[in-house]
Amino acid sequence: MRSASNKSVKWINALDTVLIGKTKGNESKRNKIAAFDLDGTLILTKSGRTFAKDEHDWRWWHPNLPKRIEELHAEGYEIVVFSNQNGLNSEKKIQSFKIKIGNILNQLTTPVFFMAAVAKDKYRKPMTGMWDWFVEHHGESIQKDTSFYVGDAAGRERKPKKDHSCGDRKFAYNIGIPFHTPEEFFLNEPKAAFKWWGFNAKEHPTNLPAFSPPSPSFPASDKNELILCIGYPASGKTSFVKKHLVPKGYIYVNQDELKTRDKCIKACQEALKNQQSVVIDNTNPEIATRQLYINLAQKANVPVRCLYFGQNEDLAQHNNYYRAIHKSNRDLISSIVFRTFKSKFQEPTLKEGFSEIKHVNFVFDGDKSDYEEWKKWWI
């Protein structure tokens, strides 16, 4: 291990869900940023495990890495580390992690600014909250074209083990700075093939019709009806229903609001009894659940239409993060909920008793600034 000055890390209490530290010493602000991920980029585990067993279980990704960091600083770069850290859910784990970071940074002769996101919020990569906070408190305008980010989560499907995500590449893209993998940056290897993975909002068509087949009328006739929505959470059901159906007098039934399926059944039954049209805004993945509502409609002698919002889980997960973090009007839905829907899902057919099935295409509904945010990588 090369010698280094015995610098300690000053920890800054500024954000509840981000650990922020910097090595002590006077460092002038610079307008070029050399930014790095931590695990798999600057360091690996000494044990060979995927996750470190303790604060001492680490080694440099490459023996010459500290020297390269020193060269970057000499070239006028400010050194910054942006890391996602899962599992730091106790004070003991946090203190152990801080010791580890101190051990790492004390092996570098250059000043380093360090940030680690510990929650699934706007500070977690590929979201840009850590970078935005750093820029806001930096005190010097940053030249994005000469700055860069290095990370191992790059969407490479290499063997024997593909990258665990494309989050680092997406992070750099969201910021608007050049990106490199550790192999490309430290070993001068050629650019590797990659896939973005997940839902790419920038490629989502903006000219889709709302419906396939073409737009139906609401209601379909003078007679009241029941409309049953089917689709992943965050697939656009509620926004669509509240924009197109509720203003036309449909009774709105939603289990998030009513809390139980029995209450939803009762509300639907009451609306049909009063000869009112009703829309069931739940995920309704399986035939058995849908049949409960269809039976009510058949007893009331009213038609049942299905609004099917498709099976694009990546789109739904993208919307989940966007609305919970950017719009801040919903809680982030657990991935367990999405897996449960997928495991239960049975595609709707006319045999169930639907008079028709309309496929609803997702069309972003918002102003230009919101659309620019929605187009970013959120997961």
Side-chain angles (χ1 to χ4, degrees), residues 28-30 39-40 44 58 91 111 113 141 143 152 161 163 168 174 181 224 231 236 250 258 270 289 328 338 361:
S28 59
K29 303 298 182 182
R30 303 179 175 204
D39 300 299
L44 299 169
W58 71 274
E91 189 60 31
F113 196 92
S141 60
Q143 297 177 357
D152 67 308
K161 186 178 181 180
D163 292 345
D168 287 328
N174 279 344
T181 66
N224 63 312
Y250 283 75
L258 297 180
E270 188 69 20
T289 296
S328 300
F338 289 85
N361 296 313

Side-chain angles (χ1 to χ4, degrees), residues 122-140:
K122 68 179 182 179
Y123 299 105
R124 181 179 176 82
K125 297 180 298 180
M127 291 167 276
T128 60
M130 286 192 289
W131 172 270
D132 296 337
W133 187 93
F134 173 78
V135 170
E136 181 182 351
H137 294 81
H138 184 254
E140 181 76 26

Side-chain angles (χ1 to χ4, degrees), residues 26-276:
N26 295 324
E27 164 73 344
S28 59
K29 303 298 182 182
R30 303 179 175 204
N31 58 16
K32 295 191 302 182
I33 305 300
F36 299 88
D37 180 39
L38 178 66
D39 300 299
T41 300
L42 292 181
I43 64 169
L44 299 169
T45 61
K46 190 184 299 183
S47 65
R49 295 160 51 128
T50 301
F51 303 107
K53 60 182 179 180
D54 57 36
E55 62 266 30
H56 305 293
D57 186 17
W58 71 274
R59 62 180 175 87
W60 292 115
W61 186 87
H62 189 275
N64 291 334
L65 189 148
K67 182 181 179 181
R68 184 70 181 102
I69 297 296
E70 184 178 305
E71 291 171 349
L72 288 168
H73 189 260
E75 293 166 9
Y77 284 94
E78 185 168 348
I79 312 301
V80 185
V81 178
F82 296 108
S83 175
N84 286 348
Q85 291 295 325
N86 297 321
L88 298 183
N89 51 12
S90 70
E91 189 60 31
K92 181 179 179 180
K93 290 181 180 179
I94 290 173
Q95 290 307 314
S96 176
F97 181 75
K98 286 182 175 180
I99 292 171
K100 175 182 174 179
I101 297 305
N103 292 338
I104 294 168
L105 299 188
N106 278 339
Q107 294 297 326
L108 297 173
T109 62
T110 57
V112 177
F113 196 92
F114 177 86
M115 300 186 74
V118 299
K120 290 184 177 181
D121 58 15
K122 68 179 182 179
Y123 299 105
R124 181 179 176 82
K125 297 180 298 180
M127 291 167 276
T128 60
M130 286 192 289
W131 172 270
D132 296 337
W133 187 93
F134 173 78
V135 170
E136 181 182 351
H137 294 81
H138 184 254
E140 181 76 26
S141 60
I142 293 173
Q143 297 177 357
K144 287 187 176 181
D145 57 339
T146 54
S147 300
F148 59 85
Y149 185 71
V150 180
D152 67 308
R156 295 167 292 175
E157 296 189 344
R158 53 184 180 167
K159 295 180 179 180
K161 186 178 181 180
K162 70 177 185 179
D163 292 345
H164 64 276
S165 80
C166 196
D168 287 328
R169 192 184 296 273
K170 291 176 179 179
F171 177 65
Y173 186 94
N174 279 344
I175 294 169
I177 60 176
F179 173 79
H180 312 282
T181 66
E183 291 82 0
E184 294 161 2
F185 187 78
F186 293 117
L187 303 180
N188 294 316
E189 291 187 4
K191 291 288 184 181
F194 73 93
K195 294 182 179 179
W196 285 111
W197 299 349
F199 176 72
N200 189 343
K202 292 169 286 299
E203 295 181 352
H204 187 67
T206 58
N207 58 349
L208 288 172
F211 299 96
S212 178
S215 179
S217 59
F218 295 111
S221 65
D222 293 336
K223 187 176 177 61
N224 63 312
E225 67 173 345
L226 185 147
I227 289 182
L228 200 63
C229 296
I230 299 173
Y232 273 105
S235 59
K237 299 185 301 300
T238 298
S239 297
F240 180 89
V241 165
K242 290 190 173 180
K243 181 177 182 178
H244 295 284
L245 278 76
V246 172
K248 293 188 176 182
Y250 283 75
I251 300 301
Y252 179 71
V253 176
N254 175 265
Q255 192 162 317
D256 289 340
E257 294 185 2
L258 297 180
K259 304 306 179 186
T260 69
R261 188 171 67 180
D262 287 346
K263 289 183 178 179
C264 290
I265 295 292
K266 184 177 180 181
C268 177
Q269 194 170 25
E270 188 69 20
L272 294 175
K273 180 181 177 181
N274 294 328
Q275 297 185 338
Q276 295 172 296

